[in-house]
Amino acid sequence: MHGVLTGTDLLTIERTLQLAIAPAFLLSGLFALLTLLTNRLQRIGDIFEEMKSQGSMTAKERRYIVRRSRLIYRAIKCAIASAALLCLLVIASFIEALAGVRAGVHIAALLVTAMVLLTAAISFFLTEVLMTARTLPTHHDP
């Protein structure tokens, strides 16, 4: 009978769904990170606009805000690219399982590249956080 799924087909689909769960969890974490990053970028933009409207921004402060925003923007770009690669990984996993195409090396490459981009996103974010933390008071004045 054509078009009827066999027990083997169902097991293949079940196994593929199980393997797709890990990238799905990574994607949900990535979207949480993207929310955090876009909120941070918006806050930097608000600070920039406030200082600009008050006319109190020095060239040094402007460079500082521009550097912070560039770091967050780079983190956002890396996180989005990582998410796109994870989506492609899930698609490739299903194509491999259902079409019988051998794509193991390609799937591994997608995962490694996605993790490198996620690491870069976190590194850019960490750099921006450390940069900001240096300007905050480190002790409570009496």
Side-chain angles (χ1 to χ4, degrees):
M1 245 177 145
H2 190 67
V4 177
L5 293 176
T6 66
T8 305
D9 293 333
L10 292 174
L11 287 174
T12 300
I13 292 170
E14 180 182 1
R15 182 179 176 283
T16 304
L17 284 170
Q18 289 171 347
L19 293 174
I21 289 174
F25 281 120
L26 283 170
L27 281 169
S28 62
L30 265 168
F31 289 123
L33 176 63
L34 280 167
T35 299
L36 179 134
L37 292 171
T38 55
N39 287 340
R40 197 154 177 107
L41 185 61
Q42 178 63 47
R43 181 66 186 129
I44 293 168
D46 292 345
I47 291 168
F48 178 79
E49 289 300 321
E50 183 180 326
M51 291 178 77
K52 191 168 103 174
S53 70
Q54 292 175 355
S56 63
M57 188 183 318
T58 65
K60 182 179 177 181
E61 289 170 328
R62 180 181 171 84
R63 284 191 305 272
Y64 174 77
I65 290 173
V66 167
R67 181 148 192 263
R68 282 184 62 197
S69 65
R70 283 183 180 158
L71 287 166
I72 294 298
Y73 183 66
R74 288 177 184 146
I76 290 170
K77 288 193 309 186
C78 288
I80 290 171
S82 179
L85 289 176
L86 288 171
C87 291
L88 289 173
L89 183 146
V90 171
I91 292 167
S93 297
F94 277 97
I95 290 173
E96 178 182 46
L98 300 176
V101 177
R102 294 286 163 222
V105 172
H106 298 95
I107 291 171
L110 285 170
L111 180 60
V112 168
T113 306
M115 292 300 98
V116 166
L117 286 166
L118 178 56
T119 302
I122 293 169
S123 297
F124 285 128
F125 176 54
L126 176 61
T127 302
E128 191 273 337
V129 167
L130 293 174
M131 183 179 166
T132 303
R134 281 194 298 261
T135 65
L136 299 174
T138 57
H139 62 281
H140 179 63
D141 292 328

